[in-house]
Amino acid sequence: MDKIRFGLIGCGRIAQRHAEIIQNMGILSAVCDIKGEKAAEFGKKYNTKTYSTIDELLSSEKDIDVISICSPNYLHCEHTIKSLQTGKHVLCEKPMALSVSDCKKMMIEADKSGKDLLIVKQNRFNPPIAALKVILENGKLGKILSVQLNCFWNRNDDYYKNSDWKGKKALDGGTLFTQFSHFIDLLYWLIGDVKSVDALGRNFIHNNTIEFEDTGTASVEFENGAIGTINYTVNSYGKNMEGSITVFGEKGTVKVGGQYLNVLEYQNIDGYEISGLPESRPANDYGFYQGSMSNHEKVYENVIDVIKYGGIIAANAYEGMKTVEIIEKIYESFKK
Ligand SMILES: NC(=O)c1ccc[n+]([C@@H]2O[C@H](COP(=O)([O-])OP(=O)(O)OC[C@H]3O[C@@H](n4cnc5c(N)ncnc54)[C@H](O)[C@@H]3O)[C@@H](O)[C@H]2O)c1
């Protein structure tokens, strides 16, 4: 098979990362953005064809193999379904969608089309996180007793004012969808499914810019009996402070922290030591704010492995749906 041909939907901030990587690993055949000037600028920078709607792109570009969806959260379901219906594989940015019912529609369409649906969860590739996954799977920490997830970032009013969808409940979904869905995914991926949740959320200082919580706290019970807490806020003063997970097992304790779950901060494991970790890559830098680890090339390596060589999807649609389900449980609990 020749190089994989990609189409990209939405020419915003994260799309730049996708485009750079696609150009290194495949062919960027076409892009689209409803804002014509954005599509044009992007098309010029990456020397590719441009469209202003996904429908035009999909009906004109018959040779594209994979559509990368980088549009706002509320469009992921519609854009994924349209792409699958025209016979394309889909790589969808996180969050997979804004409701479990939309995720299910996407999964049904992937099944019908026989095409692959992959979700971007690049933080799973952070070296200390990947090492933690291995020792959990090998049982090195013994029975898992409890876990603590901390997400302390800064998003100021300008961040929301500069966007026509971020901060709006129906378009963005909430702080757990846009800022911290990667972290919720890791909780599910590392510890397991969530049985019950008790949570509180407040909007303390973003009442003029966001329609949902800027801070939340949740107590969680997992299906395997472990318990845990999630503490999150976008009110860390002035800058991002911490993204961390601490796992307490019968035979060991591990904390992966730093600002972006990129540093092995603590380990004390019975008869074992995590060592020789490769250096973590820097965070995605968007100019006036920083996001998650920039491991998107690992995501694309997986896309190519899956499509060319029948490899296993690193983050599949079921797992994408599970993250959305946990977030829904937390937001449901706010209402109690
Ligand atoms: N994996 C990560 O770490 C990561 C990081 C940042 C963003 N994201 C996700 O990527 C997505 C985009 O985020 P962003 O920060 O780049 O947002 P953005 O607002 O910078 O970009 C979105 C783009 O989509 C375009 N768009 C809107 N409606 C469209 C439509 N109907 N058809 C085509 N284009 C349309 C907008 O004009 C805009 O250019 C979001 O879902 C976000 O959660 C993921």
Side-chain angles (χ1 to χ4, degrees):
M1 193 178 179
D2 295 333
K3 277 189 170 179
I4 294 180
R5 307 179 76 85
F6 289 87
L8 198 153
I9 314 299
C11 300
R13 291 182 188 279
I14 201 63
Q16 307 274 347
R17 256 329 263 139
H18 285 254
E20 284 157 17
I21 295 163
I22 291 171
Q23 286 200 322
N24 283 335
M25 296 188 184
I27 296 169
L28 183 58
S29 296
V31 300
C32 89
D33 198 295
I34 37 149
K35 292 188 177 153
E37 72 287 357
K38 269 192 157 181
E41 198 182 306
F42 206 91
K44 202 169 157 197
K45 181 167 176 189
Y46 296 102
N47 190 25
T48 186
K49 269 193 259 177
T50 61
Y51 296 89
S52 52
T53 68
I54 184 171
D55 298 320
E56 286 172 76
L57 183 149
L58 291 174
S59 59
S60 310
E61 297 290 328
K62 306 283 183 214
D63 294 342
I64 286 179
D65 304 295
V66 183
I67 296 290
S68 297
I69 298 191
C70 299
S71 49
N73 299 350
Y74 73 105
L75 291 167
H76 290 182
C77 176
E78 178 191 326
H79 287 169
T80 295
I81 288 178
K82 282 185 169 169
S83 306
L84 291 166
Q85 283 174 340
T86 49
K88 317 294 186 206
H89 301 286
V90 171
L91 173 65
C92 181
E93 261 297 351
K94 63 85 205 162
M96 178 172 167
L98 292 181
S99 68
V100 169
S101 68
D102 277 355
C103 293
K104 286 182 178 164
K105 289 181 202 152
M106 295 157 80
M107 288 163 76
I108 288 169
E109 209 53 54
D111 242 22
K112 270 202 250 169
S113 66
K115 296 290 164 181
D116 290 311
L117 171 54
L118 304 91
I119 315 297
V120 176
K121 303 280 186 188
Q122 82 274 13
N123 281 13
R124 291 185 182 190
F125 297 106
N126 294 0
I129 290 292
L132 177 56
K133 174 73 174 169
V134 170
I135 62 167
L136 283 165
E137 286 198 333
N138 294 342
K140 291 264 187 280
L141 298 186
K143 184 177 160 51
I144 300 309
L145 310 171
S146 69
V147 58
Q148 197 181 29
L149 184 73
N150 288 338
C151 323
F152 304 149
W153 280 10
N154 173 277
R155 291 291 180 267
N156 60 25
D157 279 342
D158 286 343
Y159 165 88
Y160 297 101
K161 281 184 196 155
N162 279 323
S163 171
D164 42 23
W165 64 275
K166 287 173 184 155
K168 300 197 169 55
K169 181 72 184 163
L171 314 184
D172 170 322
T175 298
L176 286 177
F177 279 109
T178 299
Q179 273 67 49
F180 302 131
S181 66
H182 283 305
F183 295 71
I184 303 293
D185 168 64
L186 292 180
L187 212 53
Y188 170 76
W189 190 55
L190 295 169
I191 310 298
D193 208 352
V194 164
K195 188 169 157 192
S196 65
V197 170
D198 204 3
L200 286 175
R202 296 283 183 273
N203 185 347
F204 286 112
I205 56 172
H206 289 80
N207 285 295
N208 294 328
T209 44
I210 66 178
E211 298 170 355
F212 41 73
E213 86 290 4
D214 62 17
T215 299
T217 176
S219 322
V220 175
E221 185 178 8
F222 293 85
E223 293 285 357
N224 62 12
I227 59 170
T229 57
I230 303 169
N231 290 297
Y232 69 97
T233 185
V234 289
N235 295 339
S236 162
Y237 186 71
K239 58 181 183 180
N240 290 351
M241 175 190 159
E242 175 176 329
S244 71
I245 186 166
T246 310
V247 181
F248 299 91
E250 259 180 330
K251 293 184 182 168
T253 302
V254 176
K255 179 176 185 184
V256 178
Q259 285 183 39
Y260 311 100
L261 283 160
N262 53 336
V263 179
L264 179 63
E265 282 189 358
Y266 180 91
Q267 60 169 325
N268 189 15
I269 307 166
D270 184 18
Y272 187 78
E273 190 178 356
I274 301 170
S275 60
L277 289 181
E279 246 186 56
S280 286
R281 297 178 54 79
N284 277 320
D285 195 337
Y286 305 104
F288 71 105
Y289 69 98
Q290 286 195 319
S292 285
M293 293 296 303
S294 86
N295 281 328
H296 276 75
E297 65 287 336
K298 299 274 181 208
V299 173
Y300 274 91
E301 279 168 16
N302 180 242
V303 172
I304 291 165
D305 183 45
V306 169
I307 288 163
K308 267 191 164 175
Y309 308 110
I312 294 170
I313 297 176
N316 63 37
Y318 179 79
E319 295 170 310
M321 188 262 290
K322 277 294 179 185
T323 304
V324 174
E325 189 179 84
I326 296 168
I327 295 173
E328 270 188 355
K329 278 186 183 166
I330 294 173
Y331 285 159
E332 276 303 308
S333 177
F334 282 4
K335 295 180 197 158
K336 284 182 200 154

